[in-house]
């Protein structure tokens, strides 16, 4: 399923996916519509543009994950919307790719998303790394802020510097799979923390109200 | 002159009230006056003049110095004519003049128009006339003059304040309008031009040949345009700069800049030096790796330091090359980078072996901000 408010992009992406042998179940231009249609067409992967006319990216991802807990969301977005991308990933997106990425790169990202891997670009690694540093520096009130192990930090820094998983595995003498697991963990911890924070917020609001 | 208008209106209201006071005093004291008819004539002239100036000053264009000078002349005349009406011994004893408090009106007008100094001058002239009238320095004369000076000073000060406030308000309104317009443009450009440029880049690259070159150009323009219209809501405090924005300018299809989602604030001069050092490192990548070499820039904010890493996918440096080059004093670019960063109290680490690309890591301590 493709969600993008720009018709040219929507069609281009859908065509690329169809050409590559994927079955595009829906191509829509609005967030609310996307969440509604996703309930009935049940896509495995949603390719989502963060800038939609009606809902924010976080809202769309929240709605999609609620409707279909197994859905994998690949965020396809213009660069330079860093906070939006970080929020989307914390809300449960499985990966992020800039719109200017080449077609092969894009199709590879869709494949990996469908397989359940995190699609980590250098830009996203920088954002996630920054978020862990911010959480560590922020005065702790509430649940224990998630921390990265030294190894995870090391891997994430190398991803942010543009090394491929294979290069990282070589340099750290790890297996490809281990590198992938480390990366996946960094994202998982952040998403879990985000959910805990949301629940805590909801409880506080509920108790106060 | 939006904020000044109420002040001018207030002066007219004051003059009206002072007229009522002068009339009451006239009614009470006219039996002792030597020429009551002249006293009433002066009062009538004051009423007429209050109306004329009230109308005149209502329009900002009417607040000219010729009118203000005429105003002062009329006020002084009304004051001095008191000599012919009020007995001299009463004046010397500090008795009421014909216009009484009405004379303060012109002082306020001068202060409004010309600030504290003009108000002070008008107050001194009126005070001198009062002194001449009474023929002796009495506590009443001195008191009156001091009060006039105070009124002139305060009014002049308030006038200056409203001018300042108005100018600031004007600037704020203009700034807001400019920001809104910029945001509107940015949204428009983002929804249309940038999407199309990104699409051209993508399709062009797939088609190859000349189309690929067009695609590459479109991609570069997309990056430039995006950084131009980017709306940065986190305005850095005065004297500091967000390193992300400075380094973001190097971003292109070949150069990936990764940074945190929150601002990386450094003193403006430090940020500029770090950005310049990173820029030379990137130039170096192009020199050694050719125009097709890719590079990654990573910005990291730690509690006490900021780290900027620049890595390329070039051939890397053979072991010992660096030390060899340093020994023969041919480090060139690396040395200039090292010089810049060392001046900031930071460190530079260069690493990388054959097939690993070269990595330059700049680390600068962060002084406590604010």
């Amino acid at each position: 399923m493709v969600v993008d408010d720009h018709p040219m992009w929507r069609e281009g992406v859908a065509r690329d996916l169809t050409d590559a042998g994927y079955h595009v179940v829906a191509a829509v231009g609005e967030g609310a519509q996307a969440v509604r249609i996703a309930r009935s067409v049940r896509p495995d992967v949603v390719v989502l543009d963060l800038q939609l006319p009606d809902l924010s990216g976080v809202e769309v991802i929240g709605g999609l994950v609620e409707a279909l807990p197994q859905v994998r969301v690949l965020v396809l977005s213009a660069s330079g919307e860093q906070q939006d991308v970080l929020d989307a990933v914390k809300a449960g997106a499985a990966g992020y790719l800039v719109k200017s990425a080449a077609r092969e790169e894009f199709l590879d990202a869709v494949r990996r998303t469908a397989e359940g891997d995190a699609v980590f670009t250098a830009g996203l690694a920088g954002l996630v790394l920054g978020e862990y540093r911010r959480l560590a520096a922020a005065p702790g009130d509430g649940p224990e802020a998630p921390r990265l192990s030294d190894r995870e930090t090391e891997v994430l820094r190398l991803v942010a510097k543009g090394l491929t998983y294979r290069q990282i595995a070589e340099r750290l003498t790890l297996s490809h799979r281990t590198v992938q697991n480390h990366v996946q963990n960094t994202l998982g911890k952040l998403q879990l923390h985000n959910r805990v924070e949301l629940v805590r917020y909801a409880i506080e609001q509920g108790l106060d109200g | 002159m939006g904020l000044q208008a109420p002040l001018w209106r207030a002066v007219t209201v004051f003059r009206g009230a002072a007229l009522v006071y002068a009339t009451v005093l006239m009614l009470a004291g006219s039996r002792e006056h030597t020429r009551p008819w002249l006293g009433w004539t002066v009062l009538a002239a004051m009423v007429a003049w209050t109306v004329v100036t009230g109308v005149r000053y209502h329009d900002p264009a009417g607040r000219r110095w010729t009118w203000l000078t005429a105003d002062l002349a009329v006020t002084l005349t009304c004051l001095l004519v008191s000599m012919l009406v009020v007995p001299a011994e009463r004046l010397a004893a500090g008795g009421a003049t014909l216009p009484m408090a009405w004379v303060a009106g012109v002082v306020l007008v001068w202060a409004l128009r010309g600030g504290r100094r003009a108000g002070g001058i008008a107050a001194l002239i009126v005070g001198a006339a009062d002194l001449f009238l009474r023929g002796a320095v009495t506590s009443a004369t001195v008191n009156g003059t001091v009060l006039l000076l105070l009124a002139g000073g305060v009014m002049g000060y308030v006038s200056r304040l409203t001018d300042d406030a108005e100018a600031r308000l004007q600037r704020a309104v203009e700034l807001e309008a400019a920001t809104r317009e910029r945001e509107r443009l940015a949204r428009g450009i983002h929804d249309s031009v940038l999407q199309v440029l990104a699409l051209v880049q993508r399709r062009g690259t797939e088609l190859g040949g000349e189309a690929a070159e067009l695609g590459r150009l479109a991609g570069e323009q997309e990056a430039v345009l995006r950084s131009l219209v980017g709306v940065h809501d986190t305005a850095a405090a005065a004297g500091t700069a967000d390193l992300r924005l400075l380094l973001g300018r190097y971003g292109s299809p070949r150069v990936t800049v990764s940074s945190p989602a929150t601002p990386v604030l450094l003193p403006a001069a430090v940020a500029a030096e770090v950005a310049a050092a990173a820029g030379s490192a990137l130039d170096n990548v192009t020199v050694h790796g050719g125009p097709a070499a890719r590079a990654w820039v990573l910005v990291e904010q730690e509690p006490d330091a900021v780290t900027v890493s620049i890595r390329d996918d070039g051939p890397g440096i053979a072991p010992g090359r660096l030390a060899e080059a340093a020994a023969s004093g041919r480090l060139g670019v690396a040395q200039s980078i090292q010089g810049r960063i060392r001046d900031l109290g930071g460190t530079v680490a260069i690493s990388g072996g054959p097939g690993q690309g070269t990595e330059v890591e700049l680390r600068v301590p962060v002084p406590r901000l604010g």
Side-chain angles (χ1 to χ4, degrees):
Chain A
M1 174 157 150
V2 179
V3 187
D4 194 315
D5 65 324
H6 207 269
M8 252 202 303
W9 262 104
R10 198 164 62 228
E11 281 157 30
V13 167
R15 197 171 50 235
D16 283 351
L17 287 172
T18 311
D19 290 351
Y22 289 97
H23 178 45
V24 178
V25 289
V28 297
E30 282 177 15
Q33 197 188 6
V35 174
R36 212 168 45 240
I37 291 179
R39 283 181 212 277
S40 49
V41 300
R42 312 188 70 81
D44 299 318
V45 176
V46 176
V47 177
L48 175 70
D49 179 16
L50 274 191
Q51 291 216 323
L52 295 173
D54 56 339
L55 296 180
S56 76
V58 170
E59 285 168 327
V60 178
I61 293 169
L64 287 171
V65 172
E66 196 190 334
L68 304 165
Q70 294 306 312
V71 76
R72 316 269 316 158
V73 181
L74 174 64
V75 169
L76 195 61
S77 162
S79 56
E81 301 153 2
Q82 299 174 322
Q83 189 63 52
D84 295 349
V85 170
L86 184 61
D87 290 343
V89 166
K90 282 165 76 176
Y96 154 69
L97 202 64
V98 288
K99 275 197 159 178
S100 51
R103 186 168 58 166
E104 291 70 36
E105 219 175 320
F106 166 66
L107 291 175
D108 182 51
V110 173
R111 184 183 55 73
R112 276 157 58 196
T113 308
E115 286 170 4
D117 281 343
V119 176
F120 246 66
T121 54
L124 181 55
L127 287 174
V128 170
L129 202 55
E131 182 66 5
Y132 274 105
R133 294 246 161 83
R134 190 185 66 79
L135 287 172
D141 63 331
E144 183 74 12
R147 279 176 198 289
L148 291 177
S149 68
D150 290 346
R151 188 57 118 183
E152 283 165 347
T153 307
E154 199 174 10
V155 170
L156 210 50
R157 287 193 77 205
L158 293 175
V159 175
K161 289 176 197 169
L163 273 81
T164 62
Y165 289 178
R166 195 178 48 76
Q167 284 172 314
I168 297 170
E170 257 171 44
R171 191 186 280 203
L172 302 179
T173 52
L174 295 171
S175 78
H176 188 272
R177 191 68 234 172
T178 312
V179 173
Q180 214 156 18
N181 285 343
H182 279 313
V183 173
Q184 199 95 15
N185 278 346
T186 65
L187 203 55
K189 278 197 254 183
L190 208 53
Q191 289 171 347
L192 183 65
H193 175 67
N194 193 47
R195 278 200 294 279
V196 170
E197 283 279 276
L198 284 179
V199 168
R200 186 172 72 101
Y201 180 74
I203 290 173
E204 277 175 4
Q205 294 297 307
L207 289 179
D208 287 346
Chain B
M1 299 296 277
L3 286 178
Q4 287 246 340
L7 291 177
W8 286 89
R9 227 174 10 248
V11 170
T12 304
V13 170
F14 166 78
R15 281 189 156 174
L19 269 182
V20 173
Y21 183 40
T23 311
V24 169
L25 286 177
M26 186 79 88
L27 282 173
S30 68
R31 257 168 296 135
E32 294 171 23
H33 289 171
T34 45
R35 292 183 189 82
W37 62 270
L38 188 55
W40 289 110
T41 311
V42 168
L43 191 65
M46 280 158 54
V47 171
W49 189 247
T50 301
V51 172
V52 168
T53 53
V55 171
R56 195 70 210 165
Y57 294 153
H58 182 69
D59 174 16
R63 298 167 194 162
R64 281 202 222 110
W65 280 110
T66 45
W67 272 92
L68 267 65
T69 313
D71 200 350
L72 186 60
V74 170
T75 305
L76 289 177
T77 310
C78 291
L79 181 60
L80 291 174
V81 168
S82 300
M83 288 171 81
L84 305 175
V85 180
V86 184
E89 62 275 14
R90 274 190 58 83
L91 283 175
T97 61
L98 287 180
M100 259 317 267
W102 192 75
V103 297
V106 75
V107 174
L108 297 181
V109 166
W110 275 54
L112 261 183
R113 180 67 176 79
R116 270 179 302 190
R117 197 162 299 170
I121 290 171
L124 286 176
I125 293 175
V126 173
D130 195 49
L131 183 66
F132 172 71
L133 190 71
R134 298 181 192 272
V137 178
T138 67
S139 66
T141 320
V142 174
N143 249 340
T145 308
V146 168
L147 285 177
L148 282 175
L149 273 173
L150 270 177
V154 169
M155 193 52 121
Y157 182 63
V158 170
S159 163
R160 188 59 44 85
L161 273 185
T162 56
D163 275 353
D164 279 1
E166 185 134 356
R168 273 177 211 202
L169 191 67
Q170 184 65 30
R171 270 202 303 280
V173 167
E174 280 167 12
L175 195 66
E176 198 194 329
T179 310
R180 268 176 207 279
E181 178 61 10
R182 196 181 152 96
E183 282 172 357
R184 195 186 63 75
L185 273 175
R187 268 197 303 277
I189 289 176
H190 190 275
D191 288 346
S192 55
V193 185
L194 290 184
Q195 308 277 342
V196 174
L197 281 176
L199 197 64
V200 170
Q201 184 198 359
R202 187 145 172 255
R203 287 276 167 232
T205 315
E206 287 159 22
L207 291 172
E210 267 182 52
E213 174 65 12
L214 287 180
R216 193 183 59 74
L217 288 175
E220 277 171 14
Q221 288 310 305
E222 193 228 323
V224 172
L225 195 55
R226 186 183 299 287
S227 69
L228 273 181
V229 299
V231 179
H232 308 300
D233 49 352
T234 48
T240 67
D242 186 353
L243 189 60
R244 297 181 310 154
L245 300 184
L246 297 179
L247 292 173
R249 294 194 194 127
Y250 297 125
S252 73
R254 299 193 296 111
V255 180
T256 306
V257 180
S258 308
S259 56
T262 47
V264 179
L265 292 179
L266 284 175
V270 176
E273 278 294 288
V274 173
S280 343
L282 284 171
D283 289 343
N284 209 23
V285 170
T286 316
V287 169
H288 292 288
R294 294 206 56 186
W296 290 265
V297 179
L298 172 63
V299 189
E300 293 168 275
Q301 166 106 65
E302 286 157 66
D304 56 347
V306 166
T307 306
V308 179
S309 321
I310 301 101
R311 194 188 77 89
D312 65 47
D313 62 354
I317 306 168
R321 257 286 317 274
L322 213 57
E324 184 189 309
S328 57
R330 286 185 293 106
L331 257 181
V333 177
Q335 217 154 37
S336 97
I337 295 171
Q338 256 160 351
R340 282 177 194 274
I341 299 301
R342 206 182 300 124
D343 287 349
L344 302 173
T347 53
V348 179
I350 300 177
S351 59
Q356 292 263 359
T358 310
E359 188 176 322
V360 181
E361 192 176 282
L362 318 174
R363 198 180 151 87
V364 181
V366 181
R368 291 257 164 256
L369 287 173

